[in-house]
Amino acid sequence: MAPLHPRPPPASMSRIREVWANNLDQEIAALRDTMDQYNYIAMDTEFPGTVARPIGSFKTSSDYQFQTMRCNVELLKVIQIGLTLCDADGNFAPEPCTWQFNFRFSLNEDMYAPDSIDMLRQANIDFARHEEFGIEPNDFAELMITSGLVLSDDTKWVSYASQNDFGYLLKVLTAAPLPAVESEFHDLLKIWFPNLYDIKYIVRSLKPNTKGGLQDLAEELQVVRHGPAHQAGSDALLTAGTFFKVREILFPNEPLDNSRFSGHIYGISGDANFMPTTSGNSASPVVPQHNAPLHTPGIYPGAPNMSAYIYGR
């Protein structure tokens, strides 16, 4: 059987540069050179689903959502990170304007939710190539930390309902467990991403009755998708176009109010309308895929203010 090699992207995805271990250095360098003029960065990730839920008592829904994100980010590995660069007026960087970083992921070794993997397969994510040619997280982190994209007041990060996205990105960049307390997580976000905007948080703050996800909002605003949905590069590109369309419509004569919107992530920003909640063993148990490290439902202890994590959806 002939050895696998990363394939060039189809012509329809020329805006999106595929990045594997073999071209990581040169593409981070290209991204770094581009960001001098295009300092708005739209970000999306693909990850292997949700395999655990926290149980116990929680002060708010925000706390529950945060602990759910935290336990899954700790257990799982990121599969893709997509970054799209634009300038302050919403102009995309010259092609490629988007970099899709493909990380090492093994269906034989790593934990995942089968339904999420099925969805990613339908989006044409090639897991054999991820296992063979995927980027090691430490290699990505080392180059990103010295790139100027993070830890900088000059960059503006754009996302959509991005608690998981930034959870995985922080895990990769810090090579450390996420903070156990939500407020400390936000403090860490502020250090790494001083200017951060979550489209869903902005839209729901101003138009609470807005329904649907990123694709629904993009279609309503007539923002065209490039590339397949549920791939991080395509989703980052759609996120960028949607953000600037939202800004044009909701803030036609004024800039975004940083004090109101910067640093807030939908679902874990401690909004006043989040009420206390208790989670019991109500999640439907899910036995992880037979070839994942964990073979039976179990617990993941150690979080404050909760007795355990249960595996389920």
Side-chain angles (χ1 to χ4, degrees):
M1 180 177 176
L4 295 171
H5 295 286
R7 294 177 296 229
S12 61
M13 291 180 61
S14 61
R15 293 187 176 188
I16 303 171
R17 177 65 50 84
E18 294 281 359
V19 187
W20 301 87
N22 66 339
N23 64 336
L24 175 63
D25 286 33
Q26 69 188 58
E27 294 305 332
I28 289 285
L31 200 161
R32 183 175 60 240
D33 292 341
T34 305
M35 66 160 288
D36 289 340
Q37 182 177 350
Y38 300 89
N39 64 333
Y40 277 72
I41 307 171
M43 188 269 292
D44 184 79
T45 66
E46 298 298 336
F47 51 91
T50 299
V51 300
R53 297 286 186 186
I55 58 175
S57 297
F58 305 91
K59 297 177 181 178
T60 63
S61 292
S62 178
D63 184 30
Y64 174 73
Q65 294 295 332
F66 169 72
Q67 297 298 345
T68 301
M69 178 273 288
R70 185 172 80 89
C71 68
N72 283 279
V73 167
E74 292 303 314
L75 290 167
L76 303 175
K77 294 182 178 179
V78 69
I79 296 171
Q80 289 182 334
I81 295 176
L83 302 178
T84 294
L85 268 58
C86 302
D87 66 15
D89 296 320
N91 299 306
F92 290 107
E95 294 184 359
C97 62
T98 299
W99 284 260
Q100 181 165 276
F101 297 91
N102 298 284
F103 289 84
R104 187 183 185 279
F105 189 88
S106 172
L107 295 179
N108 296 314
E109 300 173 2
D110 299 321
M111 190 181 298
Y112 57 87
D115 56 345
S116 295
I117 294 301
D118 290 343
M119 180 190 69
L120 294 176
R121 278 177 166 150
Q122 292 173 13
N124 296 322
I125 289 182
D126 189 333
F127 286 99
R129 295 181 184 280
H130 277 266
E131 183 168 8
E132 184 75 14
F133 300 106
I135 299 164
E136 292 295 340
N138 287 345
D139 294 337
F140 175 83
E142 181 180 347
L143 293 170
M144 280 290 289
I145 289 170
T146 58
S147 69
L149 277 76
V150 295
L151 303 167
S152 172
D153 289 325
D154 295 330
T155 55
K156 318 288 186 182
W157 287 79
V158 177
S159 59
Y160 185 93
S162 53
Q163 55 179 295
N164 287 296
D165 300 317
F166 281 105
Y168 280 104
L169 187 51
L170 278 176
K171 176 186 176 181
V172 170
L173 291 172
T174 63
L178 296 180
V181 180
E182 184 182 349
S183 61
E184 295 178 3
F185 175 77
H186 284 287
D187 291 342
L188 193 61
L189 270 181
K190 186 67 175 176
I191 293 171
W192 285 88
F193 313 101
N195 300 291
L196 180 162
Y197 303 103
D198 186 315
I199 299 169
K200 189 168 185 177
Y201 181 88
I202 295 170
V203 172
R204 293 291 180 91
S205 295
L206 299 175
K207 296 182 177 295
N209 295 325
T210 303
K211 305 297 182 183
L214 174 62
Q215 184 65 48
D216 300 302
L217 180 60
E219 289 177 358
E220 181 180 342
L221 299 176
Q222 298 182 329
V223 178
V224 177
R225 176 183 287 278
H226 297 270
H230 305 303
Q231 287 206 20
S234 175
D235 287 354
L237 190 53
L238 190 68
T239 297
T242 303
F243 171 77
F244 285 103
K245 195 69 173 178
V246 165
R247 195 183 69 173
E248 174 189 331
I249 292 172
L250 296 183
F251 305 92
N253 301 312
E254 57 183 336
L256 274 171
D257 183 349
N258 279 354
S259 64
R260 183 176 180 185
F261 297 115
S262 180
H264 293 285
I265 293 178
Y266 182 81
I268 62 166
S269 286
D271 302 88
N273 61 329
F274 287 153
M275 300 300 291
T277 183
T278 299
S279 174
N281 293 338
S282 58
S284 303
V286 173
V287 180
Q289 187 74 5
H290 70 279
N291 54 3
L294 186 68
H295 295 277
T296 57
I299 62 172
Y300 182 75
N305 302 320
M306 70 175 67
S307 58
Y309 294 131
I310 60 171
Y311 290 92
R313 284 180 291 185

